[in-house]
Amino acid sequence: MKRVFLLLIFLLLSCAKEPPSPYRLYVPQFRLPDGLGRVWVYSVPDLRPLKNIPAGNVCARLAVSPDGKEAWVSCEGSRDLLLIDCRSDSALSRIPAGRTVQGGAFSPDGKLFAVSHSAVVAFQLKEAKVSLYRVEDRQRLVTLEVGEDPRSLVFSPDGLRLFVANLGENTISVIDVPARAVVEVHPTGPAPHDLSLDPLGGELAVACLGLPGERARRQGELVFHRLEDLSILRRFPAGRHPSRVHYLPDASGFWLGEMGGPDSADDLLSFYPRGSEEAARTLSIGRNPQLGQISPDGRWMALTVAGGSEVLVLDLALEKVVARQKLPDSEQSRFAVDAAFVGN
């Protein structure tokens, strides 16, 4: 009898399935040369396609509101913002946003949304602006001039300042949010491409590309600024051309994705423990991996691989890719450069 009882327990444990993930994954994708865009919704972690939402032209970046109810997608080609209801995975509306909309970010209280207007080579357009929107009524409040080719932006924890990475000027602009004005400009590393805020609130990490082109190539670096006054705390080379950086929610360290040079066959994803200038672990992911976001519980990280037209889910506890999915119609030059988790 005891053996039968133990056998039943063994069978139950072996058949037990992991509880379903509380998240879905949004991945904006677009097709070249016509720029046709859609936001695909995937299950997590197995990346089973659930739905696709028609989007604007060349939809690339997205941000999810702090309460998880809405996602705002920047559509460069159609010059607008697509607003998605995350509870029904359906489009709410589209807001005219002007030319060259790029990265976006919500304020910590979810009342404001900021978006950068940057250079888009394919459309021969060049901008150096940031727009602020009031989320409640979708109204644009102000558009401000910042440095050349602004890319990533992030609000301070109290929502009173907005930091903007100006890739074309190697600077960070600081916007006083209540005053609706640019109040400071600080130097940083070569070609700042991405910003990540320390969850403990003490510093701002900047992934600086350097010059990844065939000529006049320059190695990139990571630069850490004191959040209080943006003075530089430390800086060091990290990979060839760091493109995206994300702190873990528990602030124990950060993951860094790099963009290789023209001769690179496989680029790297590296984990740096907090305070360390040496990568503790490095994974080979594929050609030009773009870090999406980390799930709120810190378990999953989403990535896209531009070189293979793929989306991936990385289990951060196991430090391995647990799902890999080709983009739909990837033979038609489909691209994705961002991904974000939303709650079920």
Side-chain angles (χ1 to χ4, degrees):
M1 187 70 180
K2 184 177 180 181
R3 289 184 177 180
V4 173
F5 179 71
L6 293 174
L7 179 61
L8 287 173
I9 291 178
F10 173 78
L11 291 173
L12 286 172
L13 291 175
S14 62
C15 294
K17 293 184 179 180
E18 182 175 328
S21 166
Y23 307 110
R24 303 183 311 288
L25 188 68
Y26 280 9
V27 184
Q29 305 169 18
F30 61 93
R31 182 179 69 194
L32 292 180
D34 60 12
L36 181 65
R38 292 182 179 274
V39 177
W40 276 87
V41 185
Y42 295 93
S43 60
V44 175
D46 57 353
L47 289 180
R48 179 169 48 90
L50 301 175
K51 187 176 183 178
N52 72 82
I53 306 167
N57 196 269
V58 191
C59 58
R61 302 287 186 188
L62 82 162
V64 178
S65 61
D67 62 10
K69 293 181 179 179
E70 293 184 1
W72 289 34
V73 184
S74 301
C75 302
E76 301 173 17
S78 51
R79 305 181 180 186
D80 58 12
L81 297 167
L82 169 68
L83 278 55
I84 297 174
D85 183 338
C86 297
R87 293 161 293 189
S88 62
D89 296 332
S90 59
L92 290 169
S93 61
R94 290 168 67 172
I95 303 173
R99 306 196 311 174
T100 67
V101 285
Q102 292 275 331
F106 284 93
S107 60
D109 62 8
K111 294 181 178 180
L112 297 175
F113 181 80
V115 65
S116 60
H117 303 265
S118 187
V120 180
V121 176
F123 297 104
Q124 297 183 332
L125 300 174
K126 185 176 285 190
E127 293 278 5
K129 298 176 180 178
V130 167
S131 294
L132 281 174
Y133 288 82
R134 187 168 50 224
V135 172
E136 183 180 15
D137 58 8
R138 322 314 200 188
Q139 292 300 306
R140 189 189 317 204
L141 300 175
V142 67
T143 297
L144 302 170
E145 295 279 349
V146 290
E148 181 182 345
D149 204 0
R151 295 293 173 131
S152 179
L153 32 72
V154 63
F155 283 88
S156 61
D158 59 11
L160 298 180
R161 292 180 295 167
L162 176 66
F163 306 109
V164 184
N166 303 313
L167 184 141
E169 287 187 0
N170 305 337
T171 61
I172 297 173
S173 294
V174 182
I175 294 174
D176 183 317
V177 176
R180 311 282 194 259
V182 177
V183 292
E184 299 172 12
V185 179
H186 295 266
T188 189
H193 186 261
D194 192 40
L195 304 176
S196 185
L197 192 65
D198 173 14
L200 300 181
E203 58 189 36
L204 180 71
V206 188
C208 299
L209 278 174
L211 294 174
E214 295 186 13
R215 298 181 179 180
R217 192 179 305 177
R218 178 180 177 183
Q219 185 178 8
E221 62 180 350
L222 276 173
V223 182
F224 294 83
H225 295 259
R226 189 191 313 276
L227 197 61
E228 183 181 5
D229 57 8
L230 285 199
S231 59
I232 294 178
L233 294 169
R234 62 191 185 280
R235 61 198 306 167
F236 55 89
R240 287 163 292 187
H241 305 291
S243 60
R244 302 289 292 275
V245 57
H246 285 322
Y247 276 99
L248 291 176
D250 64 3
S252 60
F254 59 87
W255 284 91
L256 177 76
E258 70 173 72
M259 179 185 298
D263 56 348
S264 172
D266 208 20
D267 299 326
L268 302 176
L269 179 68
S270 303
F271 175 73
Y272 289 76
R274 185 177 184 87
S276 175
E277 297 185 6
E278 298 291 334
R281 292 173 290 282
T282 298
L283 306 176
S284 180
I285 296 295
R287 182 76 170 89
N288 194 6
Q290 297 288 315
L291 277 65
Q293 297 180 17
I294 294 175
S295 61
D297 62 4
R299 177 165 185 188
W300 314 105
M301 179 164 61
L303 306 94
T304 62
V305 180
S309 298
E310 295 176 303
V311 58
L312 295 74
V313 169
L314 180 72
D315 186 317
L316 293 177
L318 301 177
E319 295 184 356
K320 72 174 186 177
V321 174
V322 294
R324 195 173 196 129
Q325 181 76 263
K326 278 279 188 181
L327 302 181
D329 303 322
S330 55
E331 70 279 359
Q332 300 181 16
S333 298
R334 282 276 179 184
F335 294 92
V337 296
D338 206 358
F341 292 92
V342 297
N344 279 329

